Amino acid sequence: MTVTAIKIMFVLGILGHALNMYCDRILSIFPNGTIKFDNIAEIKKDGVLAKMMEGVSPEVPLRSAVLGVFALVLEFLSHVSLGIYAYEKSQVFGAIMFVTAAFFCIVGSGFHVKTALAEYVFLKLDGDSRAKDIMLDLKDNALILRICMAGMVVYIITLIAAIVTGVIGFPVWSVIFTILPVAILLFPLKIIGTLHIAAMVSMFAWIFLI
């Protein structure tokens, strides 16, 4: 795979993360409130979720599901391309990055569709108490989210190891642009889509580092 082709994949990855961020935000930000990790207890109260999502069309979560999967395909191409580049330098590092990228993108697709389906069901059932219980049941993504994040963390640790050992040929300071460090810096801002912003910043840097 040529360097030019890999750079094109990084650009597609940036577009993919931007699109996925949009998809995440339309599943979280509504006319009367926002679903966040720190207000789940409040959402479980009767009527809160219905009021928050009042006026939202069922087409919104469907749009998010379809576009989100497409976005993850673009993300997959970019992450795997870096894995292919690493494979040319070290088969061990490259293979780990390839497998983990495929893993967290596939699991991530399932996570995204499941979340969108939960909101679709809630809206189609007119947001009553039963609909809320079904939605929260479907939105219980703790396990699948942990699995997805585990794959991404292994990918990032492998990339950091490839940089620090000099295998991949990036300068040591470029470990800053391995997604997680940027995400940690942005975390206090509590932006919905922080991980996507971190990935976009990192991929933009990769274009010039490779």
Side-chain angles (χ1 to χ4, degrees), residues 169-190:
F170 290 1
V172 175
W173 56 261
S174 66
V175 294
I176 297 169
F177 299 107
T178 53
I179 302 174
L180 199 54
V182 180
I184 291 170
L185 289 173
L186 293 173
F187 184 75
L189 300 176
K190 294 185 177 180

Side-chain angles (χ1 to χ4, degrees), residues 92-109:
V92 174
F93 285 142
I96 293 172
M97 290 174 68
F98 186 95
V99 171
T100 53
F103 178 79
F104 72 71
C105 284
I106 292 170
V107 175
S109 295

Side-chain angles (χ1 to χ4, degrees), residues 148-192:
C148 182
M149 290 306 297
M152 177 172 282
V153 168
V154 173
Y155 178 93
I156 291 169
I157 290 173
T158 305
L159 175 57
I160 290 172
I163 292 171
V164 171
T165 57
V167 168
I168 203 168
F170 290 1
V172 175
W173 56 261
S174 66
V175 294
I176 297 169
F177 299 107
T178 53
I179 302 174
L180 199 54
V182 180
I184 291 170
L185 289 173
L186 293 173
F187 184 75
L189 300 176
K190 294 185 177 180
I191 302 169
I192 294 174

Side-chain angles (χ1 to χ4, degrees), residues 39-96:
N39 69 350
I40 295 299
E42 182 71 18
I43 287 170
K44 289 181 179 179
K45 295 177 183 177
D46 285 340
V48 173
L49 199 56
K51 177 64 177 175
M52 186 181 290
M53 298 181 70
E54 190 176 16
V56 177
S57 168
E59 292 181 4
V60 172
L62 283 182
R63 185 197 317 151
S64 179
V66 174
L67 291 178
V69 172
F70 175 67
L72 275 154
V73 171
L74 298 181
E75 291 174 29
F76 169 77
L77 292 174
S78 60
H79 288 295
V80 164
S81 293
L82 186 58
I84 291 171
Y85 180 78
Y87 187 84
E88 294 172 356
K89 314 287 184 178
S90 166
Q91 293 185 356
V92 174
F93 285 142
I96 293 172

